[in-house]
Amino acid sequence: MKKILVTGGAGFLGSNMCRTLLAQGHRVIALDNLYTGYKSNLAELDSNPNFEFIHGSILDHQDIWADEIYNLACPASPPHYQRDPVYTWKVSTIGALNLLELAQKTGAKILQASTSEVYGDPDVHPQPEDYRGNVNPHGIRACYDEGKRAAESLFMDFHRAHGVNTRIVRIFNTYGPYMDAGDGRVVSNFICQALRNEDITIYGDGKQTRSFCYVDDLIRGIIATMNADDTQVEPINIGNPVEFTMIQLAEKVLGKIGGSSKIIYKPLPADDPKQRRPDITRAKSVLKWEPAIALDEGLDKTIPWFKKLVTQV
Ligand code: UDP
């Protein structure tokens, strides 16, 4: 049994991570300031003696001793991370720095949730880890993209300069239960719009692509990275390499939910990447990991979650 700190533990990925680690028999501490997370995401864990929730921020120095730290704390959907870009910048960098100093002091192994956004609007497709990206450093996505890039370099420097046992995963678009209905992402928007018989809002011409990973596959990949050989400090892409256009996604969601929603087109936000698909060669060879849940099956598992949220309102 390990003692594991999950920062951002009340968020979409964090709460799924807590549940999985507890099911594996570990002690779990979730740290979250509830900026985008919800205590209700952890409701069923309250009575678990191996679980503890701490309301706090990684922007403050924390003195939590654990064997492992998963740093999943950061607003991650474009509307959320753009709401207060300076805050996003601080959480990405100062937050990571605080946790790396904690890991250095306590000897914890530490994993950083990085992102496919480090590739920006990629001109290499699909994206392997050695592609250095095409990020607009002064655009509206930069607080997140550059913040996460800075965090990666901090992780590598703490490893090289201080011998901290670090891991980095680059997370591609992920969906599933415990997603926030109001996070403004494409999967949550389309499903909730269809459930409410509202217009389905495609931004731009809908021909841009994303590759969607079901959350259980993603969590399995992140844990495999934490448990990988100690030499595995270079970033690893974790995502589903099957690519869809936003039009295809809208049609799939409409086909599953039915109802009277119509597709409408809205302006494309600035710096919106035209395509995104992970090259998962490294994850396959180093972790023996690949996703097992295709988009159809994953949407079928996700729609009931949003149905519950939409009917609560
Ligand atoms: N998008 C869309 N309609 C929406 C929300 C998003 O067409 O209601 C598009 C968005 O412009 C982007 C893609 O869907 O091209 C994925 O957006 P999301 O916010 O989920 O994540 P991103 O991959 O851009 O960080």
Side-chain angles (χ1 to χ4, degrees), residues 78-79 81 117 141 173 184-187 189-190 193 201-203 208 210 246 268-269 272-273 276:
Y81 70 65
E117 289 283 322
R141 294 177 88 109
N173 296 65
R185 289 171 186 279
V186 71
V187 173
N189 274 9
F190 285 3
Q193 287 162 345
T201 54
I202 288 184
Y203 301 161
Q208 71 272 38
R210 294 293 187 272
M246 295 313 101
L268 190 68
D272 200 279
R276 188 183 287 153

Side-chain angles (χ1 to χ4, degrees), residues 261-273:
S261 297
K262 306 219 167 1
I263 290 178
I264 60 161
Y265 290 84
K266 292 199 156 185
L268 190 68
D271 294 333
D272 200 279

